[in-house]
Amino acid sequence: MTKLSAKDAIKKIQAEYYEEANRAHEEGKLVAWVTSIAPREFLEAMDIVTVYPENHAAAIAAKKGSMEMIDIAESMGYSADICSYARVNLGYVEKGDSAAGKVPYPDLLFCCNNICDTVTKWYEILARRLNVPLIMIDLPFGFTPQPTEHQLEYVVGQFENAISQLEAICRKPFNYSRFEESMHLSNQAALLWKESMEFGKKKPCPFNGLDFFNYMAQIVCSRGNEKAVEFFTLLRDELGEKVARGEGYLAEEKYRILWDGIPLWYNLRLMNNTFKENNAVMVGSTYPDNWAVTYDTTDLKSMAKAYMGNFSNREFTFRFHNMLRMVRDYSIDGVVMHCNRSCKNQDFAQYALAREITKVTGVPVTIVDGDQDDPRAFSEAQYVTRIQALFETIERSRN
Amino acid sequence: MSRIEEILKEMEYIAHHPAQMVMKWKSETGKKAVGIAPIHCAEEVVHAAGMLPVGIWGGQTTLTRASEYVQAFCCSIAKAIMELSAAGAYKHLDAIVFPETCDTLRVIPLMMRIADPLTPVIGLVLPDNRKIPAGIEYTANEYRNIAKRLEEITGNMVTDSSLHASIELYNKHHAAMMRFFDVAAEHADIINPYWRHQVVKSSFFILKEKHLALVEELTSELSALPVNKGKGPRVVVTGIMTEPDNLLHLLGEFGYTIVADDLAQSSRQFRTHTPDDTDPFIRLGKRFAAFEGCSCVCDPDKLRGKILIDMVNRQQADGVVVLILKFCDPEEYDYPFIKQDLEAAGIPHLYLEIEQQMDSVEQLRTRLQAFSEMLMDR
Amino acid sequence: MLTMGVDIGSASSKVVILKDGKDILAGVVVPVGTGTSGPTRALQQALEMAKVSKSDISKVVVTGYGRMTFKEADEQVSEITCHAKGVHHLVPSARTIIDIGGQDAKVIKLDEHGYVTNFVMNEKCAAGTGRFLEVMARVLEVSVSDLQELGDQAENIVPISSTCTVFAESEVISQLAAGQKSADVVAGIHQSVARRVAGLAGRVGLTPDVVMTGGVAQNGGVVKALERELKVPIVVAPKSQLTGAIGAALIAYEKISKR
């Protein structure tokens, strides 16, 4: 039996995932719209099908359909200043179809703000527009290096409240045994995901880091069930074998690049080509690490802390050390920061981060202007120029 | 000069000279001052510790250093705060309490810690799930934490009884502000938008008990005069703030009277009464749970439209001026539903995009004039 | 009774003399605007055309960008209100006005009496205004007035997606360099303007009849593109440039009649 490659497997699995989601109501299941790093273990426990508007918006942009949705949202009065994922999704809500196909409308919303404050506003709007209940998991922003005890207590209090809300919505008791199972599976998948990513430290790097933005879909959508464990075992094993054979993604690895932030979903081809043509490989990115969420499954406070831990929920020292560690461990030659017009939470720390990283490590950083889903905020000419300038800077420092 | 004119001029001076007010406080009393960043922060905690709470709301500053830290698409208040921090303008403050208000304002304090490392910045993270018991307990604990951090930095302590006393004072002050707004609406000839703003802005730079005395006197003096509802449109304004000054002058030029406001810098600070409890920190938790209608406070029921409609009806206003601060995501998210609610209620509104630093208000002129013609023609 | 309406824009000065709030005795356009001799010259020419003197005019209302500094008027009223009144006079069935000028774009809703019920103006920049078309025309090495004819020859539409005028300019250059036909690119430019305006119009909603005014209304290519985007027929107002001055003169008449 021939095993699928990870690249082919992810396409198949994601297609199945969307098909299943679109069948959910037929099968008498409830559908939740969920934010990307939410503790979906709670929903897995209640057999609720989870759909991710962010993931859908990325897929729509990859299929060049984001402007259609954005036009609808902006004509409703939504400013072009707000997150393009939100604009694409709010446009989708009106249209009901997209270049990346349909997703079922939700019976409930499950919003976790560890990624930003934008999702709170976005999901408030969805709750009113779609007239469905909103379960809010508020994970306080970390101004201090570690969360305080009372913050963890608050989060656990919300977990307990969410359980009651779910019981009321689903009209059945919370399935604690499936919840426990889901927590185990979630940790398993997260560890496999982390292992897979960390192969990027190897020389040569066995993968094209851009592929991880596709693999990511499973750690987002299926973390906490068997499917994610299955896929990431496949990925980990595939990459492990490549490393054992000394097989690199590139025949000649000239530049090892760290990418900071979300990719340009509407022009992955350009991202791929600009690196490949210059023998550059993205060995790592700050973004996927957000899903390496591991915790003690017997302790809800540990779960709370883990879900509060992604770098966009943290203060500057953490963000700096997080990037510094990657620059060193992954033998990075240059950093590309995506100044993503939609993501102020990240962007406004970039200038300081870029300065500090270069100061401490000597590694050059370039910042490219763009947006995750809105192609109007992106200039191909500027992108190519800045990336080439980075490569030239790296060359100069080698001579 | 009448007593009213004297009070307004005094308030105008305070509003335009915050740094001076802080230095005056420190030199006259020998006590400390703590900055309070926008939007929601119970400054009673600072007051209870015997220090002066000082509002940090950006300002009329030329932006030169801010661009070393933040990109162009950052809101003007945040940029101004960044600018002032980088210029060392906050060095005379003993600490700053910075609430986690939105994606932009959560990163600014992180940058301030780099730009001005000698001014301690304490983060305050208020809950989204503010109404559940765990949320109220959490708010209380956040403020206990603020009190503890302030003690570590300044040596000043908060006791339960001092906090109760401060809360009582602030309740009085807030009630006095809301009463002033009602009385001001009936004396449009004297309190135009510019002067109304001076009354509000001055509250951030002097002790609340001092400001309370001024507001009460002003309100009493105004009440003695005949009612004057003004010649132009009577409106409710909503948004973050009505700065800068040239915007206020423009509103006055076309005879606008602000009969009520839903501004982050104004009534959102004053309109919620702090309820009772034996634990003063829990009182603050309860107040935050009771508060409604700010774009930066979690509101799954989207009550802002209804709140505006109630304000319009209560004052029989002609319409609503929606002041969207450029690059303010929370306000931008709220706008379409506010628009929908106002339209459904048949209330005309004007959408105006503003920045805290605006050299030219020409584009605003046409809109404000056209809107006033529209309202007066009805 | 004679009233006069003066509309001083950034690029032109318009004066209208109205008799009894009904008959247009004079309508003058001078192609220079505020800060020049334009307004004064336009006023003189209008008086000559109507064969009357200034003292025969009962009331003068001024509007437009230059209204604040014009000394000869009794009152100044915003161009939003004047445009609505003027268009209503020319096209009584108008309920939505789309006005695309050199510097800005506006959409105005009006009722059956010509009173403004809602309006929206473009906040951002040159995109979606006459300025955008000027910049593009320069790149194509044609005059703005040639754009319509050029666009008519299009076999396809080459989409121009950038909303920023600066980015769009480089996008047009790239498309031409890649061998795309000028006509097809012009079609894309027209569509781009139409999209921006359609987005603006969506905020106040469209009620027929939809009337277009302003310099850009003379470009049939943009009008057709807009009809396609908005999916409604568009009437281009006759005497398009004078609507503001007509409205001002009408308002002058109404104000006197009220007394």
Side-chain angles (χ1 to χ4, degrees):
Chain A
M1 189 178 72
T2 44
K3 221 169 49 171
L4 281 176
S5 70
K7 272 185 100 151
D8 291 331
I10 192 70
K11 285 198 195 106
K12 181 167 172 285
I13 294 171
Q14 282 303 107
E16 278 166 9
Y17 163 77
Y18 275 105
E19 274 164 38
E20 255 183 64
N22 281 311
R23 279 200 315 266
H25 284 141
E26 234 173 78
E27 291 171 2
K29 296 190 178 179
L30 293 181
V31 171
W33 280 11
V34 187
T35 54
S36 55
I37 318 184
R40 67 175 299 285
E41 294 89 324
F42 289 95
L43 302 170
E44 185 69 42
M46 297 299 253
D47 202 23
I48 294 172
V49 172
T50 55
V51 169
Y52 293 84
E54 290 160 67
N55 185 269
H56 189 222
I60 293 173
K63 293 273 197 270
K64 317 286 189 224
S66 52
M67 277 317 301
E68 187 193 353
M69 303 294 129
I70 286 171
D71 280 339
I72 297 171
E74 289 182 6
S75 73
M76 286 165 73
Y78 287 106
S79 168
D81 183 48
I82 67 173
C83 171
S84 57
Y85 279 164
R87 278 178 282 144
V88 167
N89 177 242
L90 292 173
Y92 174 78
V93 165
E94 302 306 314
K95 179 87 195 220
D97 201 355
S98 80
K102 299 186 199 206
V103 289
Y105 284 98
D107 303 291
L108 68 143
L109 300 161
F110 194 76
C111 176
C112 182
N113 62 5
N114 51 1
I115 51 182
C116 59
D117 288 331
T118 272
V119 294
T120 307
K121 301 304 298 179
W122 174 8
Y123 278 62
E124 274 177 19
I125 290 168
L126 287 173
R128 178 170 161 176
R129 175 68 186 86
L130 298 168
N131 198 23
V132 293
L134 167 63
I135 299 179
M136 188 69 213
I137 305 287
D138 174 24
L139 298 180
F141 181 73
F143 277 111
T144 50
Q146 296 301 326
T148 63
E149 195 56 31
H150 70 267
Q151 285 178 330
L152 296 176
E153 276 163 16
Y154 166 54
V155 175
V156 173
Q158 290 178 83
F159 284 166
E160 286 158 5
N161 190 56
I163 288 174
S164 313
Q165 286 179 284
L166 284 168
E167 287 178 333
I169 293 167
C170 300
R171 285 189 264 234
K172 64 184 183 193
F174 191 70
N175 187 337
Y176 284 94
S177 69
R178 179 61 183 160
F179 181 56
E180 211 184 295
E181 229 168 34
S182 180
M183 289 200 283
H184 282 291
L185 291 165
S186 178
N187 276 273
Q188 252 188 296
L191 283 166
L192 288 162
W193 171 244
K194 199 169 173 71
E195 242 189 285
S196 306
M197 281 189 306
E198 287 185 341
F199 286 122
K201 297 178 182 177
K202 302 291 180 191
K203 288 186 187 185
C205 177
F207 58 70
N208 171 7
L210 279 161
D211 289 340
F212 271 76
F213 292 130
N214 288 328
Y215 301 149
M216 216 177 83
Q218 271 299 295
I219 197 69
V220 172
C221 304
S222 305
R223 187 183 73 264
N225 67 33
E226 289 79 358
K227 298 204 179 74
V229 175
E230 210 182 294
F231 175 71
F232 290 113
T233 307
L234 188 157
L235 178 64
R236 190 270 315 265
D237 291 345
E238 181 181 296
L239 294 176
E241 282 162 27
K242 286 194 173 156
V243 169
R245 291 197 299 271
E247 190 183 312
Y249 164 65
L250 291 178
E252 188 205 342
E253 208 175 77
K254 260 177 115 175
Y255 311 114
R256 295 172 61 90
I257 303 297
L258 174 69
W259 177 274
D260 175 47
I262 300 177
L264 311 156
W265 292 114
Y266 43 81
N267 212 337
L268 294 167
R269 189 190 43 83
L270 179 74
M271 289 178 71
N272 254 314
N273 292 348
T274 319
F275 285 147
K276 193 156 189 194
E277 283 159 14
N278 291 282
N279 290 312
V281 53
M282 184 194 296
V283 304
S285 162
T286 48
Y287 194 47
D289 196 45
N290 286 322
W291 282 271
V293 181
T294 55
Y295 51 88
D296 175 355
T297 61
T298 65
D299 180 7
L300 283 180
K301 275 192 188 168
S302 172
M303 188 187 194
K305 187 169 171 184
Y307 275 102
M308 286 167 77
N310 56 289
F311 82 88
S312 43
N313 207 35
R314 310 291 287 273
E315 42 76 59
F316 187 77
T317 325
F318 178 85
R319 297 191 197 190
F320 168 70
H321 280 285
N322 189 48
M323 188 173 282
L324 179 66
R325 190 178 36 82
M326 288 197 81
V327 168
R328 292 187 165 146
D329 293 353
Y330 288 70
S331 309
I332 298 296
D333 297 312
V335 179
V336 180
M337 288 186 174
H338 177 199
C339 174
N340 177 355
R341 186 62 179 80
S342 283
C343 193
K344 294 177 185 179
N345 179 21
Q346 249 187 270
D347 297 340
F348 295 153
Q350 277 176 339
Y351 290 171
L353 201 53
R355 282 195 292 267
E356 289 303 310
I357 288 290
T358 302
K359 192 163 91 179
V360 171
T361 67
V363 168
V365 177
T366 192
I367 301 178
V368 292
D369 295 324
D371 184 84
Q372 59 210 20
D373 252 31
D374 187 341
R376 299 172 303 181
F378 172 71
S379 156
E380 206 171 298
Q382 190 221 64
Y383 180 84
V384 171
T385 303
R386 295 217 178 148
I387 301 285
Q388 278 179 348
L390 178 70
F391 297 150
E392 285 155 17
T393 309
I394 298 170
E395 277 306 321
R396 272 201 305 277
S397 71
R398 286 176 176 166
N399 298 336
Chain B
M1 226 198 296
S2 70
R3 186 61 193 132
I4 289 176
E5 283 169 335
E6 270 174 19
I7 295 173
L8 289 175
K9 282 259 164 231
E10 188 181 342
M11 287 175 157
E12 181 187 29
Y13 190 84
I14 294 167
H16 284 86
H17 298 90
Q20 216 181 89
M21 293 299 117
V22 173
M23 298 318 286
K24 189 165 180 284
W25 158 263
K26 296 187 95 165
S27 63
E28 281 175 9
T29 66
K31 293 185 185 176
K32 300 193 157 118
V34 175
I36 306 285
I39 297 175
H40 299 278
C41 174
E43 34 168 277
E44 289 92 321
V45 177
V46 171
H47 185 272
M51 300 186 280
L52 175 70
V54 181
I56 289 183
W57 287 93
Q60 300 307 305
T61 175
T62 325
L63 302 166
T64 49
R65 275 175 263 229
S67 57
E68 286 171 36
Y69 292 94
V70 293
Q71 288 86 338
F73 47 86
C74 174
C75 89
S76 43
I77 297 176
K79 268 198 208 155
I81 293 175
M82 195 63 235
E83 184 71 34
L84 290 166
S85 169
Y90 299 133
K91 283 198 157 65
H92 52 272
L93 296 172
D94 295 275
I96 297 175
V97 181
F98 216 116
E100 199 275 313
T101 295
C102 63
D103 285 330
T104 297
L105 285 175
R106 66 156 61 167
V107 185
I108 294 296
L110 308 182
M111 297 298 104
M112 285 165 74
R113 285 172 173 170
I114 298 173
D116 176 15
L118 296 178
T119 307
V121 176
I122 308 166
L124 167 73
V125 189
L126 294 176
D128 282 343
N129 268 316
R130 55 204 170 94
K131 299 181 195 242
I132 58 176
I136 293 177
E137 187 62 46
Y138 171 68
T139 303
N141 280 327
E142 270 294 288
Y143 283 118
R144 288 191 187 103
N145 187 54
I146 298 291
K148 193 174 96 179
R149 290 282 292 123
L150 285 174
E151 190 184 337
E152 284 165 15
I153 294 165
T154 67
N156 289 48
M157 255 176 61
V158 173
T159 64
D160 275 9
S161 65
S162 71
L163 186 51
H164 274 300
S166 296
I167 289 172
E168 291 310 317
L169 168 66
Y170 272 68
N171 267 342
K172 270 181 96 176
H173 177 263
H174 294 170
M177 288 300 293
M178 296 311 292
R179 174 156 162 68
F180 163 72
F181 292 144
D182 281 347
V183 171
E186 306 287 284
H187 296 88
D189 50 337
I190 301 171
I191 306 294
N192 67 10
Y194 175 78
W195 290 114
R196 189 183 189 278
H197 179 70
Q198 305 314 311
V199 178
V200 171
K201 194 78 190 277
S202 55
S203 74
F204 299 119
F205 307 128
I206 55 174
L207 273 190
K208 284 301 178 284
E209 41 266 63
K210 291 218 149 48
H211 195 259
L212 171 63
L214 287 172
V215 172
E216 282 181 332
E217 197 188 342
L218 177 62
T219 306
S220 152
E221 292 278 331
L222 283 170
S223 303
L225 297 173
V227 169
N228 182 313
K229 299 214 175 195
K231 294 199 183 73
R234 294 167 65 75
V235 294
V236 173
V237 292
T238 182
I240 301 296
M241 54 169 49
T242 52
E243 295 184 7
D245 281 352
N246 49 11
L247 168 66
L248 292 161
H249 291 310
L250 202 56
L251 285 164
E253 192 184 316
F254 296 119
Y256 282 94
T257 301
I258 297 175
V259 297
D261 76 72
D262 166 44
L263 297 169
Q265 198 186 41
S266 182
S267 89
R268 293 185 206 170
Q269 301 290 321
F270 310 128
R271 67 190 189 219
T272 312
H273 176 88
T274 305
D276 286 331
D277 196 279
T278 48
D279 183 335
F281 290 98
I282 291 287
R283 292 180 76 180
L284 299 177
K286 281 183 173 177
R287 176 173 92 213
F288 193 60
F291 174 85
E292 295 297 358
C294 177
S295 49
C296 298
V297 176
C298 188
D299 173 21
D301 298 318
K302 308 292 299 168
L303 294 173
R304 238 176 108 194
K306 183 174 182 310
I307 290 173
L308 284 171
I309 293 167
D310 287 345
M311 282 186 193
V312 167
N313 290 337
R314 185 172 171 274
Q315 290 285 358
Q316 285 154 359
D318 300 312
V320 175
V321 178
V322 181
L323 297 168
I324 298 288
L325 187 69
K326 193 165 171 179
F327 302 130
C328 177
D329 299 52
E331 291 283 312
E332 286 161 355
Y333 277 107
D334 275 2
Y335 175 63
F337 273 129
I338 289 174
K339 172 174 183 285
Q340 195 179 301
D341 290 344
L342 291 176
E343 282 172 1
I347 298 171
H349 79 275
L350 174 69
Y351 173 100
L352 218 53
E353 193 179 77
I354 62 165
E355 293 197 89
Q356 194 183 32
Q357 308 86 26
M358 285 190 294
D359 289 326
S360 163
V361 288
E362 276 320 300
Q363 280 218 325
L364 302 183
R365 173 182 292 283
T366 304
R367 290 167 170 83
L368 280 168
Q369 185 173 15
F371 189 58
S372 95
E373 287 158 8
M374 198 178 115
L375 294 179
M376 300 314 281
D377 278 343
R378 275 181 135 214
Chain C
M1 189 193 332
L2 300 179
T3 55
M4 175 186 278
V6 179
D7 179 4
I8 309 174
S10 51
S12 59
S13 312
K14 287 83 73 174
V15 175
V16 160
I17 296 177
L18 203 64
K19 181 174 161 200
D20 297 331
K22 273 203 313 278
D23 307 315
I24 297 176
L25 300 185
V28 170
V29 181
V30 168
V32 281
T34 186
T36 71
S37 61
T40 317
R41 281 197 281 142
L43 194 146
Q44 282 310 315
Q45 286 177 32
L47 291 171
E48 275 161 29
M49 201 189 274
K51 301 196 198 359
V52 298
S53 67
K54 184 84 189 326
S55 50
D56 298 324
I57 309 288
S58 304
K59 193 173 175 77
V60 180
V61 165
V62 64
T63 186
Y65 182 58
R67 69 189 178 285
M68 305 307 298
T69 48
F70 186 69
K71 302 279 183 278
E72 320 258 344
D74 301 306
E75 214 170 306
Q76 49 98 352
V77 174
S78 79
E79 57 260 44
I80 308 272
T81 308
C82 290
H83 256 295
K85 259 285 176 267
V87 171
H88 178 259
H89 178 81
L90 298 170
V91 185
S93 62
R95 295 293 176 267
T96 310
I97 302 168
I98 298 176
D99 179 69
I100 310 181
Q103 320 265 32
D104 59 18
K106 319 177 188 64
V107 181
I108 306 170
K109 303 294 290 288
L110 59 162
D111 64 14
E112 64 270 25
H113 304 294
Y115 289 117
V116 176
T117 57
N118 204 353
F119 68 93
V120 67
M121 295 170 69
N122 102 338
E123 275 88 33
K124 306 292 176 202
C125 53
T129 71
R131 189 91 188 83
F132 184 84
L133 292 168
E134 273 169 39
V135 171
M136 299 306 144
R138 198 181 53 231
V139 173
L140 291 156
E141 297 176 292
V142 298
S143 72
V144 174
S145 47
D146 290 334
L147 286 175
Q148 171 170 349
E149 207 186 303
L150 201 45
D152 280 343
Q153 295 163 25
E155 281 160 12
N156 294 304
I157 301 177
V158 171
I160 304 295
S161 67
S162 311
T163 45
C164 170
T165 307
V166 174
F167 278 5
E169 194 180 345
S170 84
E171 205 182 331
V172 165
I173 291 170
S174 312
Q175 293 289 12
L176 293 173
Q180 296 285 9
K181 296 206 207 66
S182 294
D184 294 353
V185 173
V186 169
I189 290 167
H190 287 161
Q191 184 187 66
S192 177
V193 173
R195 284 221 168 115
R196 289 291 284 165
V197 175
L200 202 62
R203 284 166 55 185
V204 289
L206 291 171
T207 309
D209 284 341
V210 178
V211 178
M212 207 165 143
T213 63
V216 176
Q218 304 307 309
N219 181 331
V222 176
V223 177
K224 273 203 221 94
L226 203 45
E227 280 179 325
R228 256 197 317 271
E229 284 301 315
L230 297 174
K231 303 187 195 14
V232 285
I234 294 180
V235 176
V236 176
K239 301 190 184 63
S240 182
Q241 277 194 296
L242 289 174
T243 46
I246 293 171
L250 275 165
I251 288 170
Y253 179 76
E254 276 178 18
K255 285 188 187 265
I256 295 189
S257 312
K258 269 189 202 150
R259 277 196 235 120

